[in-house]
Amino acid sequence: MAHVVFNHVGGKPPMFDGTTSFDQWKRKMKMHLGTIHTKVWNVTENDFVILDPDNLTDKDEINQQCNNAALNAIYQGIDSKVFEQIKDLEKASEVWQRLIEIYEGNQNVKSAKLYMLKDKLFNFKMEKDESITEMFYRLQVIVNDLKNLREKVKDEDFSHKFLMCLPKRFSTLRRMIFREGLSKVTPNEVLGDIMTDAQYNDDLSEGEEDKRENKDEKEKSMAFKASSSSKNKKEEPSEEEIDSDDEAMALLVRKMGKFMKKKDYGARKRREFTKGNGNGSLYFKCKSPNHVVATKVTYNDDACDDDDSCSDDDEEPSKEELMDICEQLNESFQNKRKECKGLLKKVQDLEKYLRELQASHECLKEDHEELENAHTKLAKAHSILLDQAKVEDLSIHHNRLKLKYE
């Protein structure tokens, strides 16, 4: 009796419960059956015929043995629900074909899936908050599904679609790859080049960020070392009088104090204004001619510095007070910034809602026009029916009169 020596090194067959990916299970089961023996997969993929069941040839016995091995592997690789759908079949080829029809569909279903996948590939683009590798994998799934439906997709087309979906920052590298030719590289090699370039740019960005942080810290540390502007150079004390750092701090405090007094921040006294000498001009309390105001009050620091009567009796603000004021201003700015962002979001939502209302209005307008046309036709038909009814009534009345007189 002829027999085949089977190989069971492959271990347990892959499992399919009817809900997981049938394509993955089919590919794994195909490899599993092939590792048992090539003839086992052959009788599963292609049907065989036994001419005389009572007188089996060596080939018939081998086919039956391989068929039983294939059925045994398939039965172990499906759960009870899937088994109920194929338990009436006795050939592995029939079982295989029925599972394909159930979970992949007939030719019409496959054609519909093919068109859907083609449309997905045509409209494919990188999604928001999606990484490059995730986008590559999602594109690869679509292409593999197309190949499973016997649709040929070249590696060049895959690479081209992948490159065209990348962000703008890869435009230079994309042009370089196009110039070299997509036929010379595989999609995985293209992905490797893109990821290498992305990692290089990320490293540069991190380095620039560190530099910016160091620069910001340096600027913060030297914020209180700034000197006065060039027009006030005569106010700057010499380096021989006091330490430069302390002097810079004093100048900054003095400048900020004047600014606060001018803008009326804190509990500072307001400068009083008096009317001029009848010509409509206004003067500061110090009576300085440099402080003439027409429509707006002007402020001259040099004049006030020269005139002792212009100085305020209040003490200059301390560093801590200035820092508190800065923190308050910054906090107020951040709150207003958040408020503006919230208002901007509301505006965007309202604009979206307005567009939806406009679209709905257009649809209602079209429906209204159709109803008006239908109403006009009905009114016309109603008028015709009334005329016909009047004619018929007149005809009936005429016939009655005719019969009466006859």
Side-chain angles (χ1 to χ4, degrees), residues 38-49:
T38 55
K39 292 183 180 296
V40 174
W41 169 245
N42 289 336
V43 299
T44 305
E45 185 180 25
N46 306 304
D47 192 11
F48 63 94
V49 178

Side-chain angles (χ1 to χ4, degrees), residues 185-201:
V185 291
T186 64
N188 288 328
E189 290 175 342
V190 173
L191 176 63
D193 293 339
I194 296 298
M195 294 306 298
T196 302
D197 185 76
Q199 183 63 40
Y200 176 74
N201 291 332

Side-chain angles (χ1 to χ4, degrees), residues 103-298:
Y103 295 101
E104 285 189 353
N106 54 26
Q107 189 59 38
N108 293 333
V109 175
K110 290 181 179 179
S111 298
K113 287 182 179 180
L114 181 62
Y115 289 125
M116 292 175 63
L117 290 171
K118 285 183 177 180
D119 185 65
K120 279 186 177 181
L121 182 62
F122 179 78
N123 297 311
F124 184 87
K125 61 182 180 180
M126 191 172 185
E127 296 179 350
K128 187 178 181 180
D129 299 330
E130 185 180 35
S131 65
I132 296 175
T133 53
E134 290 173 345
M135 188 261 287
F136 182 87
Y137 171 75
R138 192 163 55 86
L139 179 62
Q140 198 171 41
V141 170
I142 296 175
V143 172
N144 289 337
D145 289 341
L146 285 170
K147 290 180 179 180
N148 292 333
L149 295 175
R150 310 292 182 182
E151 181 71 15
K152 293 182 179 179
V153 181
K154 297 181 180 179
D155 287 347
E156 299 176 27
D157 297 333
F158 180 97
S159 299
H160 181 269
K161 189 66 178 179
F162 169 68
L163 289 170
M164 295 304 296
C165 294
L166 291 173
K168 292 182 179 180
R169 66 177 185 271
F170 295 100
S171 58
T172 302
L173 179 60
R174 180 167 50 210
R175 287 194 296 268
M176 292 174 60
I177 296 176
F178 283 160
R179 289 174 183 175
E180 294 177 359
L182 295 177
S183 60
K184 299 178 181 179
V185 291
T186 64
N188 288 328
E189 290 175 342
V190 173
L191 176 63
D193 293 339
I194 296 298
M195 294 306 298
T196 302
D197 185 76
Q199 183 63 40
Y200 176 74
N201 291 332
D202 290 342
D203 293 341
L204 287 180
S205 300
E206 292 178 359
E208 293 176 357
E209 185 67 24
D210 293 338
K211 289 180 180 179
R212 283 197 297 270
E213 291 179 357
N214 294 333
K215 183 178 179 181
D216 293 339
E217 291 177 358
K218 185 176 180 181
E219 289 177 351
K220 289 179 181 179
S221 64
M222 298 184 64
F224 297 103
K225 297 181 181 179
S227 58
S228 60
S229 59
S230 58
K231 68 177 182 179
N232 296 321
K233 285 183 179 180
K234 61 182 181 180
E235 298 178 1
E236 294 181 1
S238 62
E239 295 182 355
E240 299 176 354
E241 295 178 355
I242 58 173
D243 182 75
S244 59
D245 291 341
D246 295 336
E247 178 61 14
M249 178 64 71
L251 288 173
L252 179 61
V253 171
R254 188 174 181 181
K255 289 292 183 181
M256 183 59 72
K258 291 180 180 180
F259 176 78
M260 291 166 61
K261 293 175 185 178
K262 180 180 178 181
K263 298 297 182 180
D264 291 331
Y265 284 106
R268 304 300 177 190
K269 293 191 301 182
R270 296 180 178 272
R271 295 187 182 275
E272 297 178 358
F273 297 92
T274 58
K275 292 184 179 181
N277 51 5
N279 58 0
S281 300
L282 298 176
Y283 296 88
F284 278 94
K285 186 177 179 180
C286 61
K287 308 296 183 179
S288 173
N290 293 326
H291 293 167
V292 177
V293 180
T295 58
K296 294 184 180 180
V297 178
T298 58

Side-chain angles (χ1 to χ4, degrees), residues 331-345:
E331 183 179 358
S332 177
F333 168 74
Q334 295 298 333
N335 292 334
K336 291 296 182 182
R337 186 178 182 182
K338 291 180 180 179
E339 183 179 351
C340 290
K341 287 184 178 180
L343 293 174
L344 179 61
K345 180 66 169 57

